[in-house]
Amino acid sequence: MNSQIPSFNALIEKSTIEFWNQDALTDYKGITLQYHDVARKIEKLHILFENSGVKKGDKIAICGRNSAHWAVAFLATLTYGAVAVPILHEFTAEQIHHITNHSEAKLLLVGDVVAQTIDATKMPNIEGIINLPDFSLAVSRTDKLTYARENLNAIFGSKYPKYFRQQHVSYHKESSPDDLALINYTSGTTGFSKGVMIPYRALWGNYDFAEHVLGKKLAPADHIISILPMAHMYGMAFEFLFEFLHGCHVFFLTRIPSPAIIAQAFAEVKPSLIIAVPLVIEKIIRKKVLPRIQKGPIRLLLKTPIISRKLEQRICQQVNEAFGGRFYEIIIGGAAFNQEVEQFLHRIQFPYTVGYGATECAPIITYADWKTFAPGSCGRAVIHMEVKIDSSDPEHIPGEILARGTNVMLGYYKNPEDTAATLDSEGWYHTGDLGTMDAEGNVFIRGRSKNMLLGSNGQNIYPEEIEDKLNSLPYVTESIVVQRDNKLVGLVFPDYDEAKIAGLNDEGIRLVMNENLNELNQQIPAYAKVSAIEIQQNEFEKTPKKSIKRYLYK
C-alpha cells in the first residue's frame, strides 16, 4: 500500500498536542473535555489496558450512546495499538453478545443504558466490562484487571509525578497503512452481521478527503454537533474524527435526539457544518417550513417570477436559521433523499449537498461541494477513490456501482466467502447499488440491486423510485412498495398528526389514499403501476441508519 500515507495515530497525537488548551468534546448539557483532558484520560486507559494484559492487536468493543467518553475510549483503543469494535447501542442484547463474541473482544466498554440490558454470562470470553460514564469496572474476570483499575490513579501518579504534559503524549504508530484499525458490523443479526475490517489507510483517506474539501471552510474551535451514531462510519468519520483532528469542538447529543432537542441544539451550538441523514432534514423541512409556504397567498407569490426570487431568499434565510444560521453546508447521506424536498431546497438555493458511501469504504465514495453539486446526484468520485458503473451504457442504462481506492476495506472478518463475493481480483468493491453516471462523472443512484423487483414482462422495477413519488403525496409519512403475485402493493404509514389537524378520521385517510393511488399511477410507467395501498397503523421498523427494514414486510 502507498507509503505516502502518513500514520493516522500520529495525526491524533499531533492534534492533541497542538490544540492542548482548546475545548474538544462536550456532552450537550453536560461535561466539556479540553484536548489535554482527552489526552490525560487516554493515558489512564492505556495504563489500564497495559496492566490488565491487553496486547497490541487485541479487540476492544465499545457500545453506548454518543458521548465524550465514548470518543475517548475509541481514541485510546486505536492509539494503544488495539483494534476497536464499535457496536451500535440500538442493537438488542443478543446482537451485542453475538458481535462481542464473534469479534473475540477482550474488553467491552458500555454506556449506562446498555449496561442494564446485557448479560455477561452470554459473553464467556471477555475479561471485563467497563462503564463508559466513569470507566469503573462492571465486571472483572482477572485479578490483573481488578488490580489495575483499583490502583489506576496511583500508577498514573507515580508515572507522572510532576503533571501530565504535552511532551508525554506518545502513541503507538501503525506499522503499515494496511494495519487493521477497527471492525464495524453492518448488522447485529447472526445470519446477516458482517464485520467490515477497516484499515488505517481508510480512516486516513476519509480524513484527507474532508481536509481537502472542508479544511478551509472550518476553523479550529468551530462547533460541530454529533447526531449520527459514532458506531456508524458516517457519523464517526465526519462528525468526530475529522473535526477532532482539525481542532474543532464536538458537541454530542447524548440522549435520543428528538426533533425538538435537535432544533434546540442547532439554535444554541450554531454548528459550522451539518452532517445528516435525509430523515432529520425532511422532518424539519416538512414540519417547520413547508406548512408556512403552502398557504394560499405565498404559494401564488412564488409563481410570480420577480417577487418569487425575493421570497425564495427569505424562505432560504428561514431554513438557514432553523439549522443555526452559521453553517457552510449540510451534507446529506446514508439513505435516499426525497425528490420533492430536494427540489424545494435547490429552488431556494439552500447550501445542501448529497454524498454517497458505504461502511466498506469507511464510508465516503462520492461527494461534491454544494456550489458544484448536480441536483438528484450524489456527487463525483472523491480524492483517493475511483468509481465506475458496470453497464454497457453508464449514462443511460443503470449498472452496479463499483468503487476502488484507499478507502476500501480489507474484507469481512472471518468471512472469506462474502469477501470474495464483494471485492474482486482487481480491487473493485461491488456496492450492490445501481446507478448511472453522466459525462461530468456525477453519480445518480437508481436503487439497490437486491431490492430490485422483476415486472411481469421482465422489466426491472426499482421500488425506491415509486416510493419517492408516493412519499410526496398528501398525508404520507413513509412507504414501501412490495410485490405480491406479480402485483405491486404500496404499504403506507400515514401522517396521523396532520390528518388529525385536518379533521380526517380513518375513513377520510382511506379516501385520501385512494386518490393518492390514482395520482401515483399517473406519474409512473404502466409496468410499474401499484394495484393497492395498504395503511399501516405503526411506523415501519428501521435500521440505526433510519432505513426501513424491508425484509420484515411482504
Side-chain angles (χ1 to χ4, degrees), residues 128-197:
I129 299 175
I130 298 168
N131 293 310
L132 278 171
D134 58 2
F135 298 123
S136 61
L137 287 181
V139 173
S140 175
R141 290 185 172 139
T142 72
D143 294 340
K144 271 173 144 178
L145 177 59
T146 305
Y147 178 85
R149 183 63 189 93
E150 285 175 357
N151 296 278
L152 185 56
N153 289 335
I155 300 169
F156 183 82
S158 64
K159 192 172 179 182
Y160 304 104
K162 296 278 185 191
Y163 202 60
F164 183 70
R165 302 181 193 282
Q166 280 139 302
Q167 62 264 31
H168 298 132
V169 176
S170 176
Y171 295 150
H172 162 85
K173 311 301 185 295
E174 60 274 25
S175 57
S176 156
D178 274 328
D179 283 0
L180 180 61
L182 66 121
I183 304 173
N184 199 232
Y185 283 78
T186 56
S187 155
T189 315
T190 312
F192 301 99
S193 55
K194 287 189 278 199
V196 177
M197 295 190 287

Side-chain angles (χ1 to χ4, degrees), residues 181-468:
L182 66 121
I183 304 173
N184 199 232
Y185 283 78
T186 56
S187 155
T189 315
T190 312
F192 301 99
S193 55
K194 287 189 278 199
V196 177
M197 295 190 287
I198 307 282
Y200 277 97
R201 63 170 158 76
L203 294 182
W204 174 82
N206 275 269
Y207 158 74
D208 195 55
F209 146 75
E211 199 57 73
H212 266 81
V213 298
L214 298 165
K216 290 192 171 72
K217 314 285 194 303
L218 261 70
D222 271 5
H223 292 178
I224 291 290
I225 299 177
S226 168
I227 302 173
L228 304 169
M230 283 198 292
H232 243 291
M233 290 313 303
Y234 183 31
M236 184 194 291
F238 303 126
E239 289 184 329
F240 165 45
L241 287 177
F242 159 62
E243 286 82 0
F244 183 85
L245 296 179
H246 195 71
C248 295
H249 181 186
V250 181
F251 291 75
F252 298 107
L253 300 187
T254 53
R255 288 284 166 254
I256 293 172
S258 68
I261 288 173
I262 292 172
Q264 184 189 6
F266 281 140
E268 290 179 15
V269 175
K270 300 192 182 334
S272 298
L273 176 73
I274 294 169
I275 311 291
V277 291
L279 199 69
V280 171
I281 303 302
E282 286 168 15
K283 272 191 174 167
I284 290 174
I285 302 285
R286 282 182 191 282
K287 297 279 182 198
K288 300 240 176 201
V289 184
L290 291 183
R292 287 190 202 167
I293 64 168
Q294 281 172 341
K295 294 190 174 110
I298 295 186
R299 208 171 199 167
L300 288 173
L301 281 173
L302 276 166
K303 289 181 177 161
T304 315
I306 300 164
I307 301 174
S308 82
R309 183 64 208 118
K310 284 203 162 155
L311 197 55
E312 282 165 5
Q313 284 170 341
R314 210 173 83 215
I315 292 165
C316 188
Q317 186 58 37
Q318 284 180 350
V319 182
N320 257 292
E321 282 164 11
F323 294 101
R326 209 183 277 171
F327 58 93
Y328 172 69
E329 68 180 5
I330 292 184
I331 302 172
I332 296 160
F337 196 24
N338 178 272
Q339 281 189 335
E340 182 195 33
V341 175
E342 180 170 356
Q343 283 160 5
F344 165 72
L345 292 180
H346 181 65
R347 182 177 172 188
I348 63 170
Q349 295 179 19
F350 183 74
Y352 81 96
T353 186
V354 179
Y356 167 65
T359 304
E360 287 82 351
C361 293
I364 200 71
I365 297 173
T366 64
Y367 164 89
D369 183 277
W370 76 273
K371 290 172 183 168
T372 60
F373 169 71
S377 80
C378 54
R380 301 175 282 282
V382 300
I383 184 172
H384 310 305
M385 292 294 282
E386 304 170 71
V387 174
K388 72 176 180 182
I389 306 294
D390 189 11
S391 161
S392 57
D393 180 3
E395 272 199 64
H396 303 105
I397 300 170
E400 189 176 13
I401 301 169
L402 309 183
R404 181 168 69 177
T406 304
N407 300 356
V408 176
M409 67 171 178
L410 298 167
Y412 298 114
Y413 188 55
K414 299 196 288 199
N415 191 339
E417 297 84 5
D418 279 340
T419 300
T422 308
L423 287 178
D424 68 26
S425 59
E426 293 178 355
W428 290 101
Y429 160 59
H430 291 244
T431 65
D433 289 323
L434 295 165
T436 53
M437 187 192 288
D438 68 15
E440 282 74 51
N442 293 300
V443 174
F444 296 81
I445 309 282
R446 302 300 180 197
R448 289 283 300 170
S449 56
K450 65 182 182 190
N451 293 343
M452 192 184 76
L453 307 171
L454 208 58
S456 52
N457 295 329
Q459 308 94 332
N460 294 341
I461 298 169
Y462 304 115
E464 295 92 342
E465 293 185 358
I466 304 172
E467 290 154 9
D468 189 74

Side-chain angles (χ1 to χ4, degrees), residues 52 60-61 100 105-110 118 120 123-131 136-142 145-146:
S52 63
I60 295 175
T100 305
K106 201 162 186 177
L107 295 174
L108 170 63
L109 290 100
V110 294
I118 55 168
M123 300 173 284
N125 298 319
I126 55 168
E127 293 182 2
I129 299 175
I130 298 168
N131 293 310
S136 61
L137 287 181
V139 173
S140 175
R141 290 185 172 139
T142 72
L145 177 59
T146 305

